[in-house]
Amino acid sequence: MAFASTYPANPHTSKSNPEFICNYSMSLSKTSHSWRQKSWPLKGGFVCRAVEVETKRLFSVGSKFQLEDVIEAEQFDRDTLSSIFDVALEMEKIEKNSGGSQILKGYLMSTLFYEPSTRTRLSFESAMKRLGGEVLTTENAREFSSAAKGETLEDTIRTVEGYSDIVVMRHFESGAARRAAATASIPIINAGDGPGQHPTQALLDVYTIQREIGKLDGIKVGLVGDLANGRTVRSLAYLLAKYKDVKIYFVSPEVVKMKDDIKEHLSSKGVEWEESANLMEVASKCDVVYQTRIQRERFGERTDLYEEARGKYIVDQDVLNVMQKHAVVMHPLPRLDEITVDVDADPRAAYFRQAKNGLYIRMALLKLLLVGW
């Protein structure tokens, strides 16, 4: 297969670097591959580069996906991640070139969301529809489903699985997705369970890092903001631990520091980590600055602690000025004031590209869980 990309001929951006395309293309297969690169100038100072890659899949086409549910980041090994990213790239081509597919025609997905969501819910629904499937949706199941009448999660799952082929669920309790999966006879995808995990966000985050930086081994990542309550950073830390020579910096207010279970897990996997109070120093060293918002909804009535934490670490032009030219700023969104709006114009602001990548990862997961490789 061949991939072509056109970028401004700017030597300071990772996307204009030939190594970026070569590294990314070589990561498409964990088995045999051959590749060659060509480049030629275009008008306006742009350069078109194409890499032709021949790959042999790690998992044979049509074989069953080895996971029955997607509940936590620990489920994935490097080979599976690489192959999921292959499928995500195929989904990207489907979305961009044909506008959709019919491979999931006849399948129904239920989205069961007990907490607010924009990107996750809509990207899952878009993913299902772009692959020919249909969607049954509950936007605020906590208030507008039988949960408001006292129905247990287990009873809700037993009922909903009778109407659909797969359930995507967000819940306010950590561990709820595991309970749902234990109950259901159809696939369950965890779209976030309280302060627990958000595995599909972590998948799209790692996919985005691969696309933006061109590698996953040997990178430095700064996790910034609400690390105690942020399920996205927890899941991302689990996935980053699967790669070699990764270093993770934790930058957060004292009241929302990363919990010990993640630190212990990283240490057990030989991953170097460091806590720092100096965002500028960390940003100058990192390939990825992963900013998160301080989550007011997790503080309950302790508004004093929320006010103590918010606004302490903000990514602005001063932070961009110390970042390396190839580095990127990521954010799971929504943002409040932790990234200033003027950062959006910088090519290193990757968070909206990151959100779009969520569509391709979720298309890939739906395809794999319902019809296999």
Side-chain angles (χ1 to χ4, degrees):
M1 62 180 116
F3 305 94
S5 300
T6 304
Y7 302 117
N10 178 356
H12 298 303
T13 62
S14 62
K15 287 192 171 182
S16 65
N17 185 342
E19 290 185 5
F20 166 77
I21 301 177
C22 292
N23 288 341
Y24 177 65
S25 299
M26 291 180 70
S27 74
L28 295 179
S29 174
K30 295 296 291 184
T31 55
S32 62
H33 60 263
S34 61
W35 59 277
R36 59 183 180 179
Q37 181 186 0
K38 295 181 179 180
S39 63
W40 54 93
L42 298 176
K43 292 181 179 180
F46 284 78
V47 174
C48 183
R49 296 187 177 93
V51 178
E52 186 173 359
V53 185
E54 293 182 2
T55 63
K56 181 180 291 186
R57 282 192 175 280
L58 183 67
F59 302 100
S60 59
V61 174
S63 62
K64 188 177 184 295
F65 188 45
Q66 57 268 47
L67 302 179
E68 295 183 351
D69 309 282
V70 174
I71 304 302
E72 57 189 14
E74 299 95 305
Q75 291 176 272
F76 302 94
D77 58 31
R78 282 190 62 149
D79 287 346
T80 303
L81 289 170
S82 180
S83 295
I84 290 172
F85 296 162
D86 286 356
V87 178
L89 191 63
E90 294 174 3
M91 297 299 105
E92 183 173 349
K93 289 190 290 184
I94 286 175
E95 187 264 342
K96 289 182 176 179
N97 298 333
S98 65
S101 166
Q102 293 298 309
I103 59 175
L104 295 187
K105 184 176 182 180
Y107 288 94
L108 272 169
M109 177 186 75
S110 290
T111 54
L112 194 60
F113 278 62
Y114 292 82
E115 285 190 324
S117 172
T118 301
R119 278 151 297 279
T120 302
R121 184 173 64 86
L122 291 181
S123 64
F124 264 115
E125 293 179 3
S126 175
M128 190 66 176
K129 288 177 178 276
R130 288 181 183 278
L131 293 176
E134 298 293 336
V135 176
L136 303 173
T137 185
T138 301
E139 184 175 356
N140 191 347
R142 192 172 189 174
E143 295 183 18
F144 300 114
S145 75
S146 292
K149 303 175 184 177
E151 183 176 58
T152 66
L153 174 63
E154 286 77 7
D155 283 359
T156 298
I157 293 297
R158 289 189 182 99
T159 301
V160 172
E161 72 174 350
Y163 308 144
S164 53
D165 302 292
I166 189 168
V167 173
V168 178
M169 188 184 79
R170 170 169 291 183
H171 203 276
F172 50 87
E173 291 181 357
S174 180
R178 187 180 294 277
R179 288 168 50 200
T183 301
S185 59
I186 63 174
I188 300 291
I189 297 179
N190 180 8
D193 58 342
Q197 286 210 39
H198 196 345
T200 69
Q201 178 70 46
L203 288 171
L204 76 90
D205 289 342
V206 174
Y207 182 67
T208 299
I209 294 170
Q210 173 71 84
R211 297 295 305 268
E212 298 286 335
I213 304 301
K215 63 178 183 177
L216 292 165
D217 291 321
I219 62 173
K220 295 180 180 179
V221 179
L223 303 181
V224 186
D226 191 343
L227 306 186
N229 301 305
R231 56 197 172 204
T232 62
V233 289
R234 292 176 59 81
S235 293
L236 179 56
Y238 278 121
L239 288 192
L240 289 175
K242 301 180 184 296
Y243 296 91
K244 298 177 182 178
D245 302 320
V246 170
K247 180 168 184 178
I248 300 177
Y249 295 88
F250 300 128
V251 183
S252 67
E254 188 68 26
V255 295
V256 286
K257 292 175 66 175
M258 179 60 80
K259 294 180 180 177
D260 289 341
D261 64 327
I262 295 295
K263 299 174 188 175
E264 291 168 2
H265 177 80
L266 294 175
S267 295
S268 72
K269 298 297 182 181
V271 177
E272 185 179 359
W273 59 268
E274 177 183 326
E275 291 185 311
S276 174
N278 191 331
L279 175 58
M280 299 289 280
E281 181 182 357
V282 169
S284 69
K285 300 175 181 178
C286 284
D287 302 287
V288 178
V289 174
Y290 191 99
Q291 175 71 293
T292 65
R293 71 182 175 92
I294 304 299
Q295 301 183 48
R296 183 170 188 170
E297 65 271 23
R298 307 295 181 201
F299 285 83
E301 297 180 356
R302 294 300 307 271
T303 56
D304 57 322
L305 294 180
Y306 170 74
E307 292 300 331
E308 179 185 336
R310 70 182 295 266
K312 186 165 185 178
Y313 295 108
I314 295 176
V315 174
D316 54 17
Q317 286 295 331
D318 291 336
V319 173
L320 287 178
N321 289 340
V322 302
M323 286 176 59
Q324 301 174 73
K325 296 300 182 180
H326 75 276
V328 294
V329 178
M330 295 174 58
H331 193 304
L333 302 177
R335 69 168 163 189
L336 299 181
D337 55 2
E338 64 275 1
I339 299 178
T340 58
V341 176
D342 57 348
V343 172
D344 296 356
D346 193 292
R348 292 170 293 178
Y351 29 89
F352 293 115
R353 299 191 294 272
Q354 175 187 355
K356 184 60 183 280
N357 285 336
L359 172 65
Y360 309 133
I361 286 291
R362 287 159 180 149
M363 288 172 72
L365 289 174
L366 291 174
K367 187 257 186 187
L368 291 170
L369 286 166
L370 290 172
V371 300
W373 294 102

